[in-house]
Amino acid sequence: MSSHPPSGEIQSAVRNAPGVPVIKDVNWGGLRTLYIKEVRRFFKVHLQTIWAPAITTLLFLIVFTIATGAKRPVQVGGIDIPFADFIAPGLIISQGMMGPAFANASFSLLAGKIQGTIVDYLMPPLSTLEVLAALLGGAMTRAFLVGFVVWCAMLLYPGVHVMPLHPLAVLWFGFLGALFLSLLGVLTSIWAQKFDHAAAVTNFVVAPLSLLSGTFYSVDRLAPAFRAFSHANPFFYIISGFRYGFLGSADSPVLIGSIVVLGVDIVLFVLCYQLLARGWRLKS
């Protein structure tokens, strides 16, 4: 008969030994470390991840205001809005925030799978919820940084007025929009097996939905069929609500848009959580 204690007793003794850290609830240290890793990753190439999308967004504003005339009014909710003031909020949220959020979130796990470093996300003592929260936090941090840079630049651009009338609406729809694209990016990162897959989602899903969302035009001027398509596009509600925060008027009811986008975010969050928990396309 062996004189050694059972392995279960040994493990229990090790866990309960003095000085051994025990994670009972949320691993705040691990969550903070992974979040900082995600933020440092895009800060190392800040010219590409922060300044490049900010400059691209400003070029959209310059080209469209010069080509169409910054004073040409657009009717939103029965109110005439100068064209430059109309497109500026949509550019901030769609090109300046949601695009970078998707790019950041769609890179993390995909790069780990391709480079063979996915174990760095799977092995640490982090729960699925903590890993997902860190990935989303890093993507949304990048989104708000780029959005803030674009907003500050537009404050200095002549003929454009981007002082918020309803700051809470700006923050709320900015949060919902950044979260939506961050979740879509995580979902893409889980599904994709190579960078071509992520690029396909960007080119054939994100870009069309963004450009056909009412950023550069009012959906009230569209034919009924195209108007119905716009109202089925979550980007439309995000941009409309974000624009309401600056202009005080919107193409759709703000409350309905908030409920629609929040519902889509919840569904995507549950889907991402389930796929991460199962390790779908992440574990061999």
Side-chain angles (χ1 to χ4, degrees):
M1 187 173 181
S2 175
S3 60
H4 296 289
S7 60
E9 295 183 6
I10 296 176
Q11 294 174 0
S12 177
V14 170
R15 286 196 301 267
N16 297 325
V20 176
V22 178
I23 302 174
K24 295 182 179 180
D25 298 311
V26 179
N27 184 0
W28 293 110
L31 175 60
R32 181 175 62 252
T33 300
L34 183 55
Y35 167 76
I36 293 174
K37 172 184 179 296
E38 291 296 304
V39 173
R40 285 180 174 175
R41 178 172 60 80
F42 72 76
F43 258 117
K44 287 182 179 179
V45 286
H46 56 86
L47 285 177
Q48 175 187 349
T49 57
I50 297 178
W51 301 108
I55 292 174
T56 301
T57 304
L58 292 173
L59 287 175
F60 269 109
L61 177 67
I62 294 171
V63 169
F64 274 89
T65 52
I66 292 176
T68 61
K71 299 298 183 181
R72 185 172 66 88
V74 177
Q75 196 170 74
V76 181
I79 302 174
D80 287 339
I81 305 294
F83 182 71
D85 296 352
F86 172 81
I87 68 170
L91 288 173
I92 294 174
I93 184 67
S94 65
Q95 305 296 321
M97 296 182 65
M98 294 197 292
F102 176 83
N104 200 84
S106 64
F107 181 83
S108 301
L109 297 178
L110 177 58
K113 287 190 286 186
I114 293 176
Q115 297 173 358
T117 59
I118 191 65
V119 67
D120 294 340
Y121 294 93
L122 302 178
M123 289 300 293
L126 292 169
S127 68
T128 302
L129 186 60
E130 290 163 354
V131 172
L132 183 56
L135 294 176
L136 296 176
M140 294 178 69
T141 299
R142 177 177 168 185
F144 276 92
L145 281 175
V146 177
F148 180 74
V149 170
V150 173
W151 177 69
C152 290
M154 287 186 179
L155 284 175
L156 304 176
Y157 189 81
V160 179
H161 305 90
V162 285
M163 286 303 297
L165 295 178
H166 304 285
L168 290 180
V170 172
L171 293 176
W172 175 242
F173 281 95
F175 171 81
L176 290 179
L179 179 61
F180 173 56
L181 266 295
S182 298
L183 287 166
L184 190 60
V186 171
L187 186 61
T188 300
S189 191
I190 295 173
W191 165 77
Q193 296 295 325
K194 52 185 179 179
F195 289 118
D196 285 349
H197 293 162
V201 176
T202 301
N203 295 326
F204 299 113
V205 178
V206 176
L209 290 178
S210 177
L211 294 175
L212 299 175
S213 59
T215 301
F216 304 104
Y217 55 85
S218 175
V219 297
D220 291 337
R221 293 174 173 264
L222 299 178
F226 288 100
R227 193 182 308 155
F229 172 79
S230 296
H231 283 81
N233 182 0
F235 282 64
F236 163 72
Y237 296 102
I238 296 169
I239 293 171
S240 179
F242 194 78
R243 182 179 287 137
Y244 167 81
F246 285 92
L247 305 179
S249 59
D251 288 318
S252 66
V254 176
L255 180 59
I256 293 177
S258 179
I259 294 173
V260 169
V261 180
L262 181 60
V264 173
D265 285 352
I266 292 174
V267 171
L268 286 177
F269 184 89
V270 172
L271 180 59
C272 289
Y273 179 86
Q274 293 294 334
L275 294 179
L276 278 176
R278 296 176 184 176
W280 183 67
R281 292 205 170 195
L282 298 176
K283 300 177 182 179
S284 58

